[in-house]
Amino acid sequence: MKEPFKTAREACMKRLHSSHRISAVHSESACSMNLRIHFFSCVLVACLSGCQPAGETRFQGYVEGEPVLVAAQQNGQLTSLAVQRGDAIQTGMPLFSQDQAVEAASVSQAKAQLAQTQAQLSNLATGKRPPEIAAIEAQLKDAEARRKLSVEQLARQQALVAKGFVSAESLDQVRTQLARDQAGVAQMRAQLATARLPGRADERAGAQAQVSASQAALEQSTIKLEQKSQRAPVSGQVQDIFYRAGEWAAAGQPVVSLLPAENIKVRFFVPETRLGALRAGQTVGIHCDGCEAPVPAVIRFISASAEYTPPVLYSEKNRHRLVYLVEAWPQPKDAARLHPGQPVGVSLNVSGQ
């Protein structure tokens, strides 16, 4: 070390003497001070270079949530809002409801239409009504009584003709009347049988189709009525509310934002030099302020392209400046310890040691 230091001192003295601005004593003092500063700077740089870690063990990131947006399925004015921001809710709990007057009226109309078509089908399936059948039965009895009378008259006329008291022409008239009465009985029996039969197959099929159409209309009206009241599709926390009671919410517009615990993830960035140490399914440790222990999370996604890359030319010398997005998902029971937007640290060692 002495020889290089002596050579540098002589070179410094030579430059100062050649300038003719300071004396020899001051020249020697200035050169000695400059060389000492240069020497200690070299030692400090060497120490700092030797103290840098070989590779990063913890990466910076933040917590992010993927909310579930519950939208209005029908146009209407909000009549009630059952939740507030920050509420913890379970699946199936009511969230909000809209004005239901029109949909309720449609349901009532559809029920009445269904009852009408079902009655028509039932009427075709059972034939005529009992009073109508009773009237036909009475007419049949009357026809049978007339036929009986004609049979008796024919017997008497035949006896009289045999004794020669009446002409054969009278006998023909009685026979004609008996034939007419027998036809009347047959006709009334046919009408009674027809009255007891159900409607024709085509009529019953048409009535059944009307019943099915009425049932479908009722189901559609019921669905529209149910869509005016929304319930929580998942369990989670209410993150935001976009409409208030009394406001008009159009179909498809989100009204409530829910954040399930299973939708909370951590996004962090890894330099290119450490990218090869990560893989999907690997468990990492999440460190946050106030967390007594690291929160375990599983890597699900590793970006295939660099992000937040400075405008540099790619080369072996500067490729360590590239960073890649990685997403890790904690278990739902552990996700409650994390909050969206919270800065965190991520270590490849789950224990954080």
Side-chain angles (χ1 to χ4, degrees):
M1 181 65 69
K2 291 184 179 181
E3 291 299 328
F5 186 84
K6 180 178 180 182
T7 303
R9 180 173 178 275
E10 291 176 352
C12 179
M13 288 289 293
K14 184 176 182 180
R15 288 195 302 271
L16 292 177
H17 280 301
S18 63
S19 64
H20 301 289
R21 289 182 293 182
I22 56 178
S23 62
V25 176
H26 289 94
S27 298
E28 183 175 0
S29 176
C31 287
S32 299
M33 181 63 68
N34 289 338
L35 290 174
R36 289 190 183 93
I37 293 175
H38 178 72
F39 173 76
F40 286 114
S41 298
C42 294
V43 173
L44 181 61
V45 170
C47 290
L48 290 177
S49 300
C51 293
Q52 291 296 324
E56 297 179 73
T57 59
R58 185 175 296 187
F59 310 104
Q60 299 300 316
Y62 60 93
V63 181
E64 185 177 83
E66 295 182 351
V68 175
L69 301 179
V70 183
Q73 299 189 46
Q74 300 289 336
N75 296 327
Q77 184 182 33
L78 288 182
T79 56
S80 66
L81 193 63
V83 295
Q84 296 180 353
R85 184 183 299 176
D87 288 350
I89 62 174
Q90 300 297 322
T91 303
M93 293 181 61
L95 297 178
F96 62 90
S97 59
Q98 298 170 279
D99 179 53
Q100 304 173 357
V102 175
E103 287 73 19
S106 297
V107 170
S108 298
Q109 180 181 4
K111 287 181 178 179
Q113 183 67 29
L114 176 60
Q116 179 183 359
T117 56
Q118 287 176 337
Q120 292 175 351
L121 178 61
S122 177
N123 182 51
L124 291 174
T126 58
K128 291 185 177 295
R129 294 175 297 173
E132 294 175 336
I133 294 178
I136 297 174
E137 289 176 344
Q139 293 175 0
L140 175 60
K141 290 180 180 179
D142 181 66
E144 289 176 343
R146 289 195 302 268
R147 185 189 64 177
K148 182 179 180 181
L149 179 61
S150 297
V151 171
E152 293 175 352
Q153 288 180 351
L154 178 62
R156 287 194 297 268
Q157 288 295 326
Q158 287 175 341
L160 293 174
V161 168
K163 294 178 179 180
F165 294 135
V166 296
S167 64
E169 182 179 1
S170 299
L171 181 61
D172 293 338
Q173 291 178 355
V174 174
R175 287 175 176 173
T176 302
Q177 183 62 42
L178 176 59
R180 187 182 300 115
D181 292 339
Q182 289 177 339
V185 171
Q187 180 182 4
M188 297 311 301
R189 286 179 177 176
Q191 289 183 3
L192 181 60
T194 302
R196 289 173 175 173
L197 289 175
R200 292 180 301 176
D202 293 342
E203 291 179 342
R204 296 198 303 271
Q208 182 61 56
Q210 291 180 350
V211 171
S212 300
S214 299
Q215 289 176 338
L218 177 59
E219 292 175 359
Q220 184 178 14
S221 299
T222 303
I223 291 174
K224 289 183 178 180
L225 178 61
E226 293 175 349
Q227 288 177 344
K228 284 301 187 74
S229 298
Q230 294 298 322
R231 296 181 176 273
V234 294
S235 300
Q237 187 182 48
V238 178
Q239 289 293 296
D240 207 348
I241 297 175
F242 306 106
Y243 290 90
R244 301 293 173 181
E247 295 181 333
W248 180 270
Q253 291 296 323
V255 178
V256 178
S257 174
L258 305 178
L259 181 60
E262 58 269 20
N263 286 15
I264 295 178
K265 62 182 178 181
V266 173
R267 294 163 60 95
F268 61 99
F269 301 91
V270 177
E272 188 276 339
T273 54
R274 301 301 305 276
L275 189 63
L278 302 179
R279 68 183 185 280
Q282 180 179 348
T283 302
V284 296
I286 310 300
H287 305 263
C288 62
D289 295 337
C291 296
E292 298 180 357
V295 177
V298 177
I299 296 177
R300 293 187 186 176
F301 172 76
I302 301 176
S303 176
S305 58
E307 298 188 19
Y308 307 110
T309 307
V312 295
L313 295 176
Y314 176 80
S315 66
E316 292 289 336
K317 181 179 180 181
N318 57 34
R319 68 179 182 180
H320 67 280
R321 301 177 66 178
L322 303 176
V323 292
Y324 290 78
L325 170 66
V326 181
E327 293 181 351
W329 299 71
Q331 293 293 326
K333 61 182 180 63
D334 297 325
R337 300 159 59 184
L338 306 174
H339 305 278
Q342 180 182 14
V344 296
V346 181
S347 62
L348 301 184
N349 188 344
V350 180
S351 63
Q353 302 297 327

